[in-house]
Amino acid sequence: MATRKNSTDDPLAPVTLAVGQEDLLLDRAVQQVVAAARAADADTDVRDLASDQLQPGTLAELTSPSLFAERKVVIVRNAQDLSADSVKDVKAYLGAPVEEITLVLLHAGGAKGKGLLDAARKSGAREVACPKTTKPAERLSFVRSEFRTHGRSATPEACQALVDSIGSDLRELASAVSQLIADVEGTIDEAVVGRYYTGRAEASSFTVADRAVEGRAAEALEALRWSLSTGVPPVLITSALAQGVRAIGKLSSARGGRPADLARELGMPPWKIDRVRQQMRGWTPDGVAVALRAVAAADAGVKGGGDDPEYALEKAVVVVARAARSGR
């Protein structure tokens, strides 16, 4: 059969290469292709294979011409783990893809199976990036994108609150966004997120840090105890405390200016500049130094340097909250 010209924007391109290790994004790349194929032909045949199921000769069998010219989607997961003989089959197919058939290769990226990855790219395959989100800023960007995709608006504070409450699992974040947009009309703000995820927000390490750097010792200790009782790792709490105190130190030593300018200078989003400005009232340079030493001691304590991690955290929270009021 004749080959079809590739289009990087077309889910029905002959070959789609989804590269990365973020399961949600990989699944979405597959779903997009399958949905497009079934929109073109409701009877599309979908074959979803693990790497060990694609034996030598299997791809040729699945992509052989059909008397009924049926549309087909062939999905190969963990393509980096294919055997050498199966890789040869795939490379040969990349040179002459079959019309009405869409091949979807899911590849983790990296050195393993790089030859197949390079060959797919060289063939002009449509590529979808599915990188693992490892940084809080990436998860925040994901949440904002989810709201935009659904045509809904959410305040920066609401997006941050959702990330703080839910954590790093993109599936859970996507589910939370879907629930909010289904249940709430209009712009979604921080108060709405708080109503839906109160228990989880209270257990957030960032909630502990926020209350501590604001000088609200009693509330910080309450949030700390709740966090520990619900399984938040102590090391995440010391990390959040350190981030909170460092942000205050960085902003207090920076030159004045617009939030956007300071954001670029300090590597913070503009909305966080505004929040830290509110939190830094009452802080002094000496207070920042004292707080950082206390947090460092607590961090050592929760990593095996002390007998009672909970006490180490409580002590650090009290010191940070006291330092937050040292200039008042």
Side-chain angles (χ1 to χ4, degrees):
M1 287 189 178
T3 60
R4 183 175 57 230
K5 184 178 179 180
N6 199 352
S7 169
T8 56
D9 298 324
D10 183 8
L12 294 181
V15 181
T16 286
L17 178 65
V19 183
Q21 300 180 42
E22 185 55 66
D23 290 340
L24 174 66
L25 301 182
L26 290 168
D27 285 346
R28 284 184 172 182
V30 170
Q31 291 164 8
Q32 183 188 33
V33 172
V34 171
R38 285 182 169 157
D41 181 355
D43 295 325
T44 294
D45 181 20
V46 178
R47 303 296 181 92
D48 196 333
L49 308 174
S51 57
D52 59 357
Q53 293 177 297
L54 194 73
Q55 297 297 318
T58 302
L59 184 61
E61 179 182 342
L62 290 174
T63 58
S64 60
S66 167
L67 292 176
F68 305 101
E70 64 180 352
R71 183 176 291 278
K72 185 179 293 185
V73 175
V74 179
I75 302 154
V76 180
R77 297 182 183 271
N78 297 312
Q80 72 279 358
D81 296 329
L82 288 173
S83 67
D85 288 336
S86 293
V87 168
K88 289 180 182 178
D89 287 352
V90 175
K91 286 183 176 180
Y93 179 82
L94 292 173
V98 180
E99 190 175 9
E100 302 301 328
I101 293 179
T102 299
L103 175 65
V104 184
L105 299 174
L106 275 58
H107 195 294
K112 188 175 183 181
K114 190 173 183 298
L116 177 58
L117 188 63
D118 292 342
R121 285 170 170 162
K122 187 176 180 180
S123 74
R126 167 181 177 262
E127 184 167 344
V128 180
C130 305
K132 197 76 174 176
T133 55
T134 58
K135 300 177 181 178
E138 293 171 343
R139 293 190 283 274
L140 183 60
S141 177
F142 172 79
V143 168
R144 288 172 173 166
S145 176
E146 286 292 289
F147 281 116
R148 286 196 299 270
T149 298
H150 290 288
R152 294 293 300 276
S153 60
T155 66
E157 293 80 6
C159 294
Q160 184 65 53
L162 200 58
V163 172
D164 291 346
S165 301
I166 300 299
S168 60
D169 191 304
L170 289 199
R171 289 188 190 278
E172 291 193 27
L173 285 168
S175 176
V177 170
S178 296
Q179 180 180 8
L180 288 169
I181 63 176
D183 294 353
V184 180
E185 295 182 357
T187 299
I188 294 166
D189 58 21
E190 190 175 12
V192 170
V193 175
R195 287 200 303 272
Y196 272 73
Y197 299 100
T198 299
R200 298 185 74 159
E202 288 174 353
S204 166
S205 57
F206 289 100
T207 301
V208 178
D210 283 342
R211 299 298 85 78
V213 299
E214 290 163 3
R216 297 153 65 178
E219 294 176 45
L221 288 171
E222 181 181 359
L224 171 64
R225 290 169 188 137
W226 182 267
S227 297
L228 294 173
S229 71
T230 54
V232 176
V235 68
L236 292 185
I237 299 174
T238 56
S239 175
L241 284 168
Q243 289 181 47
V245 176
R246 281 199 295 265
I248 287 170
K250 288 167 67 175
L251 188 56
S252 63
S253 61
R255 300 186 302 274
R258 298 179 303 167
D261 296 332
L262 287 170
R264 286 192 294 271
E265 180 183 344
L266 302 177
M268 299 180 192
W271 66 264
K272 189 170 184 179
I273 296 291
D274 292 333
R275 174 178 286 185
V276 176
R277 273 178 168 165
Q278 295 174 354
Q279 293 175 333
M280 64 188 289
R281 296 167 186 164
W283 280 90
T284 65
D286 287 343
V288 171
V290 168
L292 286 175
R293 286 196 294 269
V295 173
D299 189 57
V302 303
K303 292 178 178 176
D307 297 328
D308 190 343
E310 184 172 339
Y311 172 73
L313 284 169
E314 289 181 353
K315 183 178 179 181
V317 164
V318 170
V319 172
V320 171
R322 187 181 298 132
R325 305 181 65 86
S326 59
R328 295 181 184 178

XYZ file of all heavy atoms in Angstrom, residues 233-300:
499
model
N 6.454 12.499 55.378
C 7.830 12.246 55.807
C 8.454 13.486 56.458
O 8.352 14.589 55.904
C 8.559 11.898 54.501
C 7.478 11.423 53.583
C 6.283 12.258 53.936
N 9.093 13.340 57.619
C 9.713 14.490 58.289
C 10.679 15.264 57.409
O 10.780 16.482 57.505
C 10.429 13.852 59.479
C 9.622 12.630 59.781
C 9.201 12.109 58.438
N 11.390 14.562 56.524
C 12.377 15.238 55.682
C 11.706 16.240 54.742
O 12.307 17.267 54.384
C 13.209 14.211 54.884
C 12.370 13.494 53.853
C 14.410 14.877 54.235
N 10.454 15.976 54.347
C 9.743 16.931 53.496
C 9.396 18.198 54.274
O 9.343 19.295 53.710
C 8.468 16.298 52.936
C 8.647 15.159 51.938
C 7.295 14.723 51.394
C 9.573 15.566 50.798
N 9.155 18.037 55.557
C 8.809 19.199 56.381
C 10.026 20.091 56.581
O 9.934 21.319 56.461
C 8.223 18.738 57.731
C 6.943 17.925 57.485
C 7.937 19.937 58.641
C 6.360 17.293 58.726
N 11.180 19.493 56.872
C 12.386 20.319 57.022
C 12.740 20.982 55.689
O 13.197 22.128 55.659
C 13.583 19.485 57.518
O 13.808 18.381 56.633
C 13.330 18.960 58.926
N 12.507 20.294 54.581
C 12.780 20.882 53.272
C 11.883 22.090 53.030
O 12.346 23.139 52.551
C 12.555 19.836 52.179
O 12.703 20.414 50.893
N 10.597 21.954 53.372
C 9.664 23.072 53.184
C 10.017 24.246 54.087
O 9.942 25.407 53.682
C 8.236 22.603 53.460
N 10.416 23.953 55.326
C 10.840 25.019 56.242
C 12.049 25.757 55.681
O 12.110 26.991 55.710
C 11.165 24.435 57.617
C 9.985 24.038 58.501
C 10.480 23.217 59.691
C 9.242 25.280 59.000
N 13.007 24.989 55.174
C 14.217 25.602 54.619
C 13.881 26.478 53.422
O 14.399 27.596 53.288
C 15.213 24.514 54.217
N 13.001 25.987 52.547
C 12.606 26.784 51.379
C 11.929 28.081 51.802
O 12.176 29.143 51.228
C 11.662 25.973 50.501
C 12.316 24.826 49.755
C 11.321 24.072 48.894
O 10.538 24.668 48.158
N 11.324 22.747 48.989
N 11.056 27.982 52.812
C 10.338 29.168 53.273
C 11.265 30.223 53.851
O 11.142 31.418 53.549
N 12.209 29.791 54.692
C 13.134 30.747 55.319
C 14.087 31.320 54.279
O 14.371 32.520 54.274
C 13.917 30.069 56.464
C 14.947 31.041 57.046
C 12.957 29.608 57.565
N 14.582 30.469 53.374
C 15.509 30.954 52.339
C 14.825 31.977 51.438
O 15.444 32.961 51.023
C 16.048 29.786 51.520
C 17.167 29.016 52.204
C 17.960 28.198 51.185
N 17.124 27.168 50.590
C 17.048 25.923 51.005
N 17.759 25.551 52.055
N 16.269 25.043 50.407
N 13.559 31.743 51.112
C 12.828 32.688 50.259
C 12.754 34.056 50.922
O 12.922 35.092 50.262
C 11.424 32.154 49.969
N 12.522 34.067 52.224
C 12.466 35.339 52.962
C 13.836 36.010 52.956
O 13.958 37.219 52.746
C 11.958 35.096 54.395
C 10.463 34.793 54.347
C 12.240 36.305 55.289
C 9.886 34.296 55.638
N 14.886 35.224 53.176
C 16.235 35.781 53.156
C 16.601 36.347 51.800
O 17.187 37.435 51.705
N 16.259 35.642 50.735
C 16.583 36.102 49.384
C 15.838 37.391 49.044
O 16.414 38.328 48.500
C 16.232 35.001 48.370
C 17.160 33.802 48.404
C 16.606 32.637 47.628
C 16.544 32.892 46.143
N 16.110 31.678 45.393
N 14.547 37.431 49.395
C 13.756 38.600 49.047
C 14.149 39.817 49.881
O 14.181 40.943 49.384
C 12.266 38.303 49.230
C 11.301 39.384 48.717
C 11.556 39.670 47.237
C 9.852 38.950 48.924
N 14.478 39.589 51.144
C 14.839 40.715 52.012
C 16.159 41.350 51.595
O 16.396 42.530 51.846
C 14.919 40.255 53.474
O 15.946 39.289 53.638
N 17.034 40.592 50.945
C 18.325 41.133 50.521
C 18.311 41.620 49.072
O 19.310 42.159 48.595
C 19.420 40.070 50.678
O 19.142 38.944 49.866
N 17.179 41.411 48.380
C 17.092 41.827 46.979
C 16.736 43.303 46.882
O 16.154 43.889 47.796
C 16.037 40.992 46.245
N 17.072 43.878 45.736
C 16.689 45.256 45.492
C 15.189 45.335 45.266
O 14.569 44.394 44.780
C 17.422 45.802 44.256
C 18.938 45.788 44.392
C 19.565 46.468 43.189
N 19.166 45.828 41.950
C 19.799 44.781 41.439
N 20.835 44.262 42.071
N 19.405 44.255 40.293
N 14.616 46.464 45.611
C 13.185 46.641 45.395
C 12.856 46.632 43.917
O 13.714 46.886 43.062
N 11.633 46.350 43.596
C 11.231 46.333 42.197
C 9.891 45.656 42.024
O 9.273 45.203 42.981
N 9.449 45.569 40.786
C 8.181 44.914 40.498
C 8.312 43.410 40.724
O 9.394 42.838 40.549
C 7.773 45.183 39.057
C 7.539 46.659 38.732
C 7.172 46.782 37.265
N 8.219 46.195 36.412
C 8.060 45.942 35.121
N 6.901 46.210 34.538
N 9.045 45.423 34.419
N 7.199 42.753 41.097
C 7.244 41.303 41.304
C 7.825 40.549 40.117
O 8.585 39.596 40.298
C 5.770 40.945 41.542
C 5.190 42.173 42.155
C 5.881 43.320 41.464
N 7.482 40.992 38.890
C 7.981 40.292 37.705
C 9.507 40.385 37.608
O 10.181 39.417 37.249
C 7.335 40.863 36.450
N 10.059 41.571 37.931
C 11.513 41.748 37.878
C 12.197 40.920 38.957
O 13.220 40.273 38.723
C 11.870 43.222 38.043
C 11.343 44.076 36.887
O 11.210 43.534 35.771
O 11.056 45.269 37.113
N 11.630 40.971 40.166
C 12.205 40.188 41.263
C 12.088 38.697 40.988
O 12.971 37.920 41.356
C 11.502 40.545 42.582
C 11.850 41.919 43.163
C 10.915 42.259 44.317
C 13.306 41.955 43.635
N 10.994 38.298 40.372
C 10.795 36.881 40.062
C 11.912 36.370 39.168
O 12.454 35.288 39.382
C 9.433 36.683 39.394
N 12.267 37.163 38.153
C 13.361 36.757 37.265
C 14.690 36.723 38.005
O 15.504 35.819 37.804
C 13.442 37.715 36.072
C 12.336 37.529 35.034
C 12.642 38.303 33.765
N 12.619 39.745 34.017
C 11.537 40.488 33.911
N 10.382 39.929 33.579
N 11.582 41.794 34.132
N 14.898 37.712 38.875
C 16.168 37.794 39.599
C 16.332 36.658 40.596
O 17.425 36.093 40.744
C 16.245 39.134 40.331
C 17.540 39.329 41.129
C 17.541 40.639 41.896
O 16.711 41.517 41.591
O 18.373 40.775 42.818
N 15.229 36.295 41.273
C 15.314 35.324 42.361
C 14.858 33.923 41.968
O 14.973 32.989 42.765
C 14.473 35.804 43.559
C 14.856 37.175 44.121
C 13.907 37.553 45.251
C 16.299 37.168 44.613
N 14.340 33.780 40.767
C 13.887 32.461 40.342
C 12.601 32.012 41.012
O 12.420 30.826 41.284
N 11.703 32.953 41.297
C 10.413 32.636 41.902
C 9.300 33.135 40.981
O 9.484 34.109 40.265
C 10.235 33.352 43.254
C 11.233 33.016 44.328
S 10.821 33.971 45.842
C 12.303 33.704 46.812
N 8.128 32.481 41.008
C 6.998 33.033 40.255
C 6.532 34.339 40.884
O 6.643 34.513 42.106
C 5.934 31.939 40.370
C 6.316 31.139 41.564
C 7.807 31.212 41.658
N 5.996 35.269 40.100
C 5.575 36.571 40.647
C 4.598 36.478 41.802
O 4.681 37.249 42.756
C 4.939 37.262 39.432
C 5.643 36.667 38.260
C 5.858 35.231 38.629
N 3.648 35.520 41.730
C 2.674 35.419 42.812
C 3.356 35.060 44.132
O 2.930 35.477 45.212
C 1.592 34.386 42.487
C 2.091 32.962 42.410
C 2.457 32.281 41.300
C 2.280 32.061 43.508
N 2.868 31.016 41.616
C 2.769 30.850 42.971
C 2.098 32.162 44.885
C 3.064 29.753 43.761
C 2.393 31.059 45.682
C 2.866 29.875 45.122
N 4.470 34.288 44.060
C 5.168 33.916 45.291
C 5.899 35.114 45.879
O 6.055 35.217 47.108
C 6.146 32.772 45.023
C 6.739 32.203 46.311
C 7.503 30.927 46.059
C 8.011 30.336 47.376
N 8.743 29.068 47.176
N 6.378 35.998 45.030
C 7.010 37.222 45.521
C 6.036 37.969 46.425
O 6.388 38.428 47.521
C 7.453 38.123 44.349
C 8.527 37.428 43.503
C 7.951 39.469 44.860
C 9.849 37.252 44.181
N 4.798 38.107 45.966
C 3.787 38.809 46.765
C 3.530 38.093 48.086
O 3.401 38.731 49.138
C 2.473 38.922 45.978
C 2.602 39.852 44.779
O 3.456 40.756 44.832
O 1.862 39.662 43.796
N 3.462 36.761 48.046
C 3.208 36.014 49.279
C 4.364 36.166 50.258
O 4.161 36.381 51.448
C 2.972 34.535 48.964
C 2.844 33.666 50.205
C 2.559 32.217 49.885
N 1.191 32.037 49.437
C 0.657 30.834 49.178
N 1.401 29.751 49.295
N -0.592 30.731 48.794
N 5.597 36.035 49.762
C 6.764 36.131 50.647
C 6.884 37.533 51.229
O 7.284 37.705 52.382
C 8.056 35.721 49.895
C 9.281 35.922 50.774
C 7.972 34.259 49.463
N 6.524 38.537 50.444
C 6.550 39.909 50.969
C 5.639 40.041 52.198
O 5.971 40.730 53.161
C 6.110 40.888 49.882
C 7.244 41.361 48.989
C 6.719 42.291 47.915
N 7.815 42.971 47.220
C 7.686 43.609 46.072
N 6.487 43.646 45.468
N 8.707 44.216 45.519
N 4.512 39.396 52.139
C 3.602 39.439 53.282
C 4.170 38.663 54.463
O 4.032 39.067 55.617
C 2.233 38.870 52.882
C 1.512 39.700 51.831
C 0.227 39.032 51.364
O -0.074 37.908 51.741
N -0.525 39.738 50.535
N 4.827 37.540 54.162
C 5.355 36.687 55.223
C 6.594 37.280 55.897
O 6.868 36.980 57.065
C 5.700 35.303 54.662
C 4.494 34.500 54.220
C 4.897 33.192 53.555
O 5.981 33.071 52.976
N 4.017 32.195 53.619
N 7.337 38.133 55.191
C 8.627 38.583 55.718
C 8.526 39.737 56.722
O 9.527 40.130 57.305
C 9.558 38.978 54.574
C 9.078 40.171 53.764
S 10.111 40.432 52.287
C 11.610 41.033 53.051
N 7.313 40.245 56.947
C 7.169 41.305 57.936
C 7.520 40.760 59.318
O 6.968 39.778 59.781
C 5.731 41.825 57.937
C 5.315 42.480 56.626
C 3.821 42.686 56.546
N 3.420 43.190 55.229
C 2.181 43.172 54.781
N 1.200 42.688 55.537
N 1.893 43.639 53.574
N 8.436 41.450 59.981
C 8.862 41.006 61.301
C 10.171 40.240 61.293
O 10.761 39.992 62.343
N 10.648 39.877 60.088
C 11.920 39.164 60.001
C 13.094 40.148 59.985
O 12.989 41.247 59.465
C 11.971 38.327 58.724
C 11.219 37.033 58.830
C 9.912 36.822 58.526
C 11.743 35.776 59.255
N 9.570 35.516 58.739
C 10.684 34.844 59.190
C 12.989 35.335 59.697
C 10.839 33.501 59.536
C 13.148 33.999 60.036
C 12.089 33.104 59.963
N 14.204 39.712 60.580
C 15.459 40.459 60.538
C 16.539 39.547 59.965
O 16.371 38.318 59.945
C 15.881 40.903 61.951
O 16.168 39.727 62.729
C 14.771 41.720 62.627
N 17.652 40.113 59.495
C 18.733 39.254 59.002
C 19.209 38.250 60.056
O 19.489 37.091 59.739
C 19.833 40.263 58.643
C 19.088 41.511 58.287
C 17.932 41.554 59.248
N 19.307 38.693 61.312
C 19.710 37.772 62.377
C 18.674 36.672 62.560
O 19.021 35.509 62.813
C 19.896 38.533 63.696
C 21.154 39.382 63.697
O 22.038 39.135 62.840
O 21.260 40.290 64.549
N 17.391 37.043 62.436
C 16.334 36.052 62.562
C 16.419 34.985 61.487
O 16.213 33.793 61.751
N 16.721 35.400 60.256
C 16.873 34.441 59.162
C 18.018 33.476 59.462
O 17.894 32.257 59.262
C 17.128 35.174 57.827
C 17.507 34.181 56.729
C 15.894 35.961 57.409
N 19.134 34.003 59.954
C 20.291 33.159 60.260
C 19.952 32.153 61.359
O 20.303 30.963 61.268
C 21.470 34.032 60.682
N 19.285 32.622 62.416
C 18.906 31.733 63.519
C 17.966 30.633 63.021
O 18.114 29.455 63.362
C 18.241 32.544 64.652
C 17.587 31.602 65.673
C 19.262 33.429 65.345
N 17.003 31.026 62.199
C 16.029 30.059 61.695
C 16.684 29.007 60.805
O 16.378 27.814 60.898
C 14.929 30.785 60.926
N 17.599 29.435 59.946
C 18.276 28.481 59.071
C 19.111 27.480 59.863
O 19.155 26.288 59.529
C 19.161 29.221 58.061
C 18.427 29.927 56.916
C 19.402 30.718 56.068
C 17.676 28.907 56.046
N 19.752 27.956 60.926
C 20.523 27.028 61.763
C 19.598 26.023 62.437
O 19.922 24.827 62.547
C 21.334 27.802 62.806
C 22.554 28.527 62.240
C 23.520 28.951 63.343
N 22.915 29.959 64.224
C 23.022 31.269 64.024
N 23.680 31.732 62.951
N 22.482 32.125 64.860
N 18.438 26.478 62.897
C 17.485 25.587 63.559
C 16.952 24.535 62.586
O 16.810 23.350 62.936
C 16.331 26.390 64.145
N 16.673 24.963 61.375
C 16.162 24.028 60.376
C 17.238 23.015 59.996
O 16.957 21.822 59.821
C 15.666 24.779 59.127
C 15.291 23.797 58.024
C 14.472 25.652 59.482
N 18.487 23.465 59.877
C 19.591 22.554 59.561
C 19.758 21.512 60.657
O 19.985 20.321 60.385
C 20.883 23.344 59.377
N 19.627 21.951 61.915
C 19.737 21.011 63.038
C 18.592 19.996 63.007
O 18.794 18.802 63.244
C 19.726 21.774 64.362
N 17.389 20.472 62.691
C 16.239 19.572 62.607
C 16.417 18.576 61.463
O 16.075 17.390 61.592
C 14.954 20.369 62.414
N 16.942 19.060 60.339
C 17.162 18.184 59.191
C 18.127 17.056 59.552
O 17.903 15.887 59.200
C 17.700 19.000 58.019
C 17.751 18.194 56.732
O 16.696 17.681 56.325
O 18.834 18.072 56.144
N 19.192 17.406 60.275
C 20.131 16.380 60.728
C 19.443 15.420 61.692
O 19.678 14.207 61.659
C 21.334 17.035 61.398
